[in-house]
Amino acid sequence: MDEMPGPDSPHPPQKTIASELAKPFRRVPNVTYGPISLRFMRPLVRHAAGLLIPDVDLSGISIETIPTPGTTVTMRVYRRVESNGSVPVVFWIHGGGYIIGDNEEDRWAKLFCDAGDVAVISAGYRLAPEHPFPAALDDLVAAVEWLRDHGAGRGLDSDRICIGGESAGGGLAAALVQQLHDAGVPMKGQLLVYPMLDDRTAVDEAIDRKEHLAWNNGSNHFGWSSYLGAEPGRDTVPQYAVPARREDLSGLPPAWIGVGDLDLFLRENTAYARRLLEADVPTAFELVEGAPHGFPSIVPGAQLSQAFTASAASFVMDVLDVDGSSDDR
């Protein structure tokens, strides 16, 4: 496990962006809360955000779109074309601050499918502020229920599931893991990629609202306000709404948490990793120096990004007990 920053580490961390990330990030605007707070601007901002992610070659991977029963959203099921028999599942949740994004997660799906013979279910969910908590989590629970009820007929092993997600998707993944754990649903692991875990960060007056790259605390405040349907940082929040607020983390499945040291979520990610370890949950912590929020999706070809995603994929294959087989493809 990488060394984690101490509880008194400066926030934001006083470091510079890695050289291979610096130039690409100059072209990346913050997801500012001004435009997206205007209803008529929201579709444009959501569309523009998707244009920041480079295209990926999905040759050799099949994609099936399936409606999530009882919801208005869909699941995208990715799988190797030559895959046979029953395979374990990476249940993946897209990011976007709870307010943007969609489940067309081709790059992450390719990463996992290349790493081993697995299926990736990229689950859609309704976005805030139009649909505040618990809408997104309800949609994800419905998708897991579909997997458990119908997955076997499609060659999906619902007894071997790793729940994962990026940014807000990582926060939803942590919340979903907590809810499924309490319901007795077996899971093999949780992959939390710079997860958005704690609404109290959004009201931390020590954090400059505009200082962080890609996702700053002004955007963070709007994201949490939209998702909770109320001001973040209140004394109490609904169960499963804010993963970092859960008191008892014991019994949760093994975790991997990865974050850059320039990320707004560094402190809350570090704190959650420490609490998991204190609760005897096996936890790997991947800290990347000089990395802002979203770096592996925005600059996937960087060496830092490739090492980071390789670590994430290795964790997934380990917990799902899948032999790495990228050389076969």
Side-chain angles (χ1 to χ4, degrees):
M1 179 169 177
D2 288 356
E3 182 179 354
M4 291 186 287
D8 297 324
S9 297
H11 201 349
Q14 304 302 306
K15 301 201 176 184
T16 57
I17 188 169
S19 58
E20 63 177 340
L21 303 178
K23 184 176 180 179
F25 263 86
R26 291 194 197 109
R27 301 192 296 269
V28 177
N30 279 295
V31 182
T32 53
Y33 54 94
I36 203 167
S37 67
L38 304 173
R39 181 181 292 271
F40 74 93
M41 286 290 290
R42 226 165 274 152
L44 178 62
V45 174
R46 286 168 174 163
H47 175 71
L51 299 178
L52 295 173
I53 307 302
D55 291 334
V56 59
D57 180 8
L58 289 176
S59 57
I61 297 175
S62 67
I63 305 173
E64 182 181 11
T65 300
I66 300 172
T68 304
T71 76
T72 58
V73 297
T74 64
M75 299 168 277
R76 283 168 66 88
V77 182
Y78 299 80
R79 188 168 178 175
R80 292 182 176 188
V81 170
E82 75 274 13
S83 180
N84 291 305
S86 181
V87 296
V89 175
V90 183
F91 187 94
W92 183 254
I93 308 170
H94 73 81
Y98 301 113
I99 54 177
I100 60 177
D102 60 47
N103 64 332
E104 191 173 321
E105 290 284 87
D106 294 353
R107 186 165 297 279
W108 287 101
K110 177 176 172 59
L111 171 73
F112 300 127
C113 288
D114 279 354
D117 193 7
V118 300
V120 178
I121 294 180
S122 179
Y125 56 88
R126 286 168 290 170
L127 299 173
E130 295 90 341
H131 305 285
F133 176 86
L137 198 55
D138 286 347
D139 292 344
L140 297 170
V141 169
V144 173
E145 290 175 349
W146 173 88
L147 170 60
R148 290 177 56 75
D149 291 342
H150 305 286
R154 294 176 177 265
L156 306 174
D157 186 350
S158 61
D159 289 328
R160 288 196 290 164
I161 306 172
C162 180
I163 308 285
E166 177 186 26
S167 191
L172 285 166
L176 181 62
V177 163
Q178 293 174 5
Q179 185 167 347
L180 294 177
H181 166 75
D182 293 348
V185 176
M187 294 162 289
K188 295 297 185 180
Q190 51 181 321
L191 181 77
L192 309 180
V193 180
Y194 32 83
M196 185 174 173
L197 296 168
D198 197 337
D199 66 314
R200 294 167 294 190
T201 297
V203 293
D204 187 340
E205 295 182 355
I207 305 173
D208 187 312
R209 282 201 165 193
K210 297 181 179 179
E211 188 147 357
H212 291 82
L213 294 172
W215 184 258
N216 60 37
N217 215 25
S219 305
N220 197 42
H221 187 277
F222 181 72
W224 275 114
S225 300
S226 299
Y227 182 63
L228 296 174
E231 177 70 10
R234 294 175 299 163
D235 289 341
T236 61
V237 292
Q239 187 179 24
Y240 307 125
V242 182
R245 300 278 202 119
R246 183 182 175 101
E247 293 184 4
D248 183 9
L249 301 181
S250 61
L252 296 180
W256 183 98
I257 298 178
V259 64
D261 68 356
L262 299 182
D263 198 307
L264 171 66
F265 299 147
L266 172 63
R267 181 171 289 181
E268 63 188 65
N269 288 186
T270 302
Y272 198 68
R274 288 189 184 281
R275 291 184 56 221
L276 286 168
L277 286 170
E278 290 167 359
D280 295 324
V281 176
T283 302
F285 185 80
E286 187 84 16
L287 179 64
V288 183
E289 293 186 4
H293 190 73
F295 71 97
S297 291
I298 294 169
V299 197
Q303 291 183 353
L304 285 177
S305 300
Q306 292 177 357
F308 182 81
T309 55
S311 174
S314 177
F315 168 82
V316 170
M317 297 307 123
D318 285 347
V319 296
L320 293 179
D321 194 23
V322 174
D323 290 334
S325 49
S326 57
D327 293 339
D328 315 348
R329 302 198 64 223

